[in-house]
Amino acid sequence: MDAAFTEEQDEIRRTLRELLHKHCGGDEVKAAARTPAGYDEALWRRLAGQLGLPGLALPAAYGGVGCGPTELALICEETGRAVLPSPLIATAALAAPLILALGSERQRTALLPGIAAGELTATLAVPGDRLATALALTGPNDGDWAG
């Protein structure tokens, strides 16, 4: 088993690291966190529009890039290294995979293309102790908390 990164994975890492190095200095991060959105919206548009990061691990059928969990882990690592104030991790690594795996086709069609394009941001919000129910780990996968 070869655990080395592919050339494409190395390129994802290098490109993202260079971009974030230019835009995620201490002052930039603090300024972005103080905005009403809580992040640098121009940088978000670059991450989405130029690099396709919100849809990195989504299938092309939903506007995604079609990469897998390794590439998703790479962007998580690089954005963590830069302390990127952004909805990227919540959207691309948490919400989008859950919508893809547990959402109905109607939900996937309605939400995932907007997420992949960076037009929508998302996260997982579950009241109280309902996480297992929300993820359909207990009970049927239907009703208000389905998918």
Side-chain angles (χ1 to χ4, degrees), residues 37-117:
Y39 59 93
D40 181 339
E41 293 181 270
L43 180 56
W44 172 252
R45 285 190 296 276
R46 285 186 73 184
L47 295 173
Q50 291 178 353
L51 302 178
L53 296 185
L56 188 70
L58 292 175
Y62 298 111
V65 177
C67 291
T70 301
E71 291 81 9
L72 194 55
L74 288 175
I75 67 165
C76 291
E77 180 180 19
E78 291 303 321
T79 58
R81 176 189 310 275
V83 192
L84 173 68
S86 162
L88 183 63
I89 302 304
T91 300
L94 181 59
L98 287 173
I99 294 167
L100 181 64
L102 301 175
S104 67
E105 183 56 32
R106 182 183 59 78
Q107 291 167 324
R108 289 190 295 267
T109 302
L111 298 171
L112 294 178
I115 288 173

Side-chain angles (χ1 to χ4, degrees), residues 1-11 13 70-71 74:
M1 174 182 188
D2 184 7
F5 292 123
T6 65
E7 287 183 34
E8 180 182 66
Q9 291 165 338
D10 284 334
E11 182 64 17
R13 171 176 272 166
T70 301
E71 291 81 9
L74 288 175

